[in-house]
Amino acid sequence: MKTFTILIVDDEPANRRLARAILAPLGYRLRYACDGEEALEAVHKETPDLVLLDILMPKRNGYWVCEQLKQNARTKLIPIIMLTSLHQIEDKIQGIELGVDDYITKPFIATELKARVKSLLAVKLYTDELENVSFVLKGIAKVVESRDSYTGDHNKRVGDYGAGVALAMGLAAEDVKAIRLAGMLHDLGKISIPDSILRKPGSLTDDERNIMKTHAAVGATLVEPMNTMAAILPFIRHHHERLDGSGYPDGISGNEISLPVRILSVVDIYDALATRRSYKDAFSPPQCLAILREEAARGWWDRDVVEHLAKSLAVSTSI
C-alpha cells in the first residue's frame, strides 16, 4: 500500500500543528514549509503527492507557488489544496486560473480536510498509474519498433504529426495528448508478428499480410484490461479502419470512427509513405499527399484531415 507524502505550507505554526493532528493519524507522511520559497525548494528536493498551500505568506505567496508548480511539466499534476482565510470570490478565481485543485477556508473542519485530501489523492494515484503504464508500454513499443530497421522513429513521428493536425483542427488538449500517446503505442500489437514477416524484404504474401493485419486486434487485447488506457484503446484497435468500411479489424465506417482516430490513421499512412521500407523507396511529401488525396476521394480517409495535414506540413517545413 502506497504511503502518500503531503507537503503542508503555512507560515503559522498553529495551522501546521492542526493539519498534522488531523492528517498524521491517517498514515500520511507529512513535510512542512513556512513560506513560498521554502515550499518550492521542498518540492524540488522530494516530490510530494499533494500540497496543502496557504495563500498569505512572507517572501512568496501561495499564488506564486501554485503558478511555479503548474507551469513545470514535472510538478503540474501534483494536486494543490489552498488553505485560506480569504473570502472574496476574486481570490478563488485567481487560484482556479492558476490551476488550484481545491479550496478549504480557514479555520478548516477536520472531516472536510480529510475528505478532500482523500479524494484528490485517489485522483493522483490514478494519474500515477496511467503515467507508469504509459512508460512501460512505450518501452515495449520501442522494442517492437527496433525489430524493423526501416521504421526508425515511426511511432514518435506519427504522434508528432497527429498532434500537429489535432491542434490545427482545434481539438481539445486532452485529444491532442491522447493522439500523441496513441502514436507511440498504435503498433504495440506487432510484438506478436514473427520477424520473418516483420522484417521480410519485398512484398508480403496474402497469408503473411493477413497475419500482419492481426496486430491491431492484438494490441487492443494487450491494453484492454488496463482501465487507465481506455482512451487509447480505440486508436490501437481502429487505426487501420477506413471510412468506407473496407479497413480492419472490425470493418467499421463513417461516424463509427472518431475524428481523433481518423487523424491517427491518416498520419500513420503518411509516415509509411514518406519513409523508405524494405519493399519501396521513400516518397516525397507532395507524392504522399497526392496518394492520400486520391485515397480520400476513394472514400478511405477524411478529406478534411488530409488537408489539415498538408497545411501542418507546410507550416513545419517553412520554419
Side-chain angles (χ1 to χ4, degrees), residues 114 169 194 215 241 294:
K114 290 178 184 178
M169 298 187 76
H215 80 274
E241 302 286 2
E294 178 186 336

Side-chain angles (χ1 to χ4, degrees), residues 170-208:
L171 270 65
E174 293 80 6
D175 289 325
V176 176
K177 183 177 180 181
I179 289 171
R180 191 179 294 279
L181 178 58
M184 295 295 297
L185 302 179
H186 70 287
D187 280 340
L188 194 64
K190 286 184 178 179
I191 194 170
S192 68
I193 306 300
D195 280 352
S196 59
I197 295 176
L198 195 63
R199 307 179 72 170
K200 180 182 178 180
S203 300
L204 301 178
T205 66
D206 288 343
D207 287 342
E208 290 169 338

Side-chain angles (χ1 to χ4, degrees), residues 228-291:
T228 55
M229 299 304 294
I232 307 303
L233 181 60
F235 294 95
I236 295 176
R237 185 171 186 88
H238 297 312
H239 67 280
H240 283 294
E241 302 286 2
R242 295 171 178 169
L243 291 182
D244 66 354
S246 63
Y248 63 88
D250 300 317
I252 61 175
S253 62
N255 290 334
E256 293 177 289
I257 308 171
S258 70
L259 177 57
V261 173
R262 297 182 193 191
I263 290 173
L264 189 76
S265 299
V266 167
V267 298
D268 182 35
I269 296 297
Y270 175 83
D271 190 71
L273 293 170
T275 53
R276 180 172 176 263
R277 299 295 174 95
S278 61
Y279 52 88
K280 72 168 192 66
D281 290 327
F283 296 140
S284 69
Q287 287 176 310
C288 296
L289 290 170
I291 292 170

Side-chain angles (χ1 to χ4, degrees), residues 21-307:
I22 294 170
L23 298 175
L26 300 178
Y28 299 129
R29 181 169 173 264
L30 305 179
R31 296 167 56 224
Y32 307 93
C34 300
D35 60 59
E37 292 182 357
E38 189 176 316
L40 206 60
E41 290 175 6
V43 170
H44 290 321
K45 183 177 181 181
E46 181 183 353
T47 306
D49 295 295
L50 184 144
V51 177
L52 293 180
L53 182 62
D54 188 26
I55 293 182
L56 300 178
M57 296 182 294
K59 295 183 180 179
R60 298 284 190 172
N61 64 26
Y63 294 132
W64 179 84
V65 176
C66 182
E67 184 175 22
Q68 300 304 307
L69 295 181
K70 294 302 184 179
Q71 288 182 349
N72 188 320
R74 188 176 70 86
T75 58
K76 68 180 181 179
L77 295 180
I78 300 173
I80 296 176
I81 299 178
M82 275 205 163
L83 305 173
T84 177
S85 57
L86 300 175
H87 297 280
Q88 296 296 321
I89 188 64
E90 293 82 2
D91 298 314
K92 292 188 176 181
I93 290 175
Q94 182 178 351
I96 291 170
E97 289 176 344
L98 291 173
V100 169
D101 297 275
D102 207 346
Y103 267 99
I104 295 181
T105 302
K106 296 188 292 188
F108 43 83
I109 302 170
T111 53
E112 181 184 18
L113 180 60
K114 290 178 184 178
R116 298 197 180 196
V117 166
K118 182 178 179 180
S119 175
L120 284 176
L121 286 176
V123 174
K124 179 64 163 56
L125 187 63
Y126 180 86
T127 303
D128 287 348
E129 182 184 351
L130 175 60
E131 293 296 319
N132 291 337
V133 168
S134 299
F135 182 78
V136 172
L137 291 178
K138 285 177 184 177
I140 295 173
K142 199 69 178 175
V143 170
V144 173
E145 191 173 55
S146 70
R147 293 169 59 204
D148 186 345
S149 59
Y150 286 92
T151 56
D153 288 327
H154 168 71
N155 292 342
K156 183 180 183 303
R157 290 194 301 270
V158 168
D160 290 343
Y161 287 142
V165 173
L167 285 169
M169 298 187 76
L171 270 65
E174 293 80 6
D175 289 325
V176 176
K177 183 177 180 181
I179 289 171
R180 191 179 294 279
L181 178 58
M184 295 295 297
L185 302 179
H186 70 287
D187 280 340
L188 194 64
K190 286 184 178 179
I191 194 170
S192 68
I193 306 300
D195 280 352
S196 59
I197 295 176
L198 195 63
R199 307 179 72 170
K200 180 182 178 180
S203 300
L204 301 178
T205 66
D206 288 343
D207 287 342
E208 290 169 338
R209 192 172 293 106
N210 287 333
I211 292 173
M212 179 67 83
K213 286 182 177 181
T214 64
H215 80 274
V218 170
T221 300
L222 288 174
V223 303
E224 191 171 13
M226 306 173 189
N227 292 332
T228 55
M229 299 304 294
I232 307 303
L233 181 60
F235 294 95
I236 295 176
R237 185 171 186 88
H238 297 312
H239 67 280
H240 283 294
E241 302 286 2
R242 295 171 178 169
L243 291 182
D244 66 354
S246 63
Y248 63 88
D250 300 317
I252 61 175
S253 62
N255 290 334
E256 293 177 289
I257 308 171
S258 70
L259 177 57
V261 173
R262 297 182 193 191
I263 290 173
L264 189 76
S265 299
V266 167
V267 298
D268 182 35
I269 296 297
Y270 175 83
D271 190 71
L273 293 170
T275 53
R276 180 172 176 263
R277 299 295 174 95
S278 61
Y279 52 88
K280 72 168 192 66
D281 290 327
F283 296 140
S284 69
Q287 287 176 310
C288 296
L289 290 170
I291 292 170
L292 284 170
R293 284 170 174 143
E294 178 186 336
E295 292 178 346
R298 205 180 301 170
W300 290 6
W301 318 124
D302 187 314
R303 296 188 186 199
D304 198 28
V305 171
V306 173
E307 294 310 318

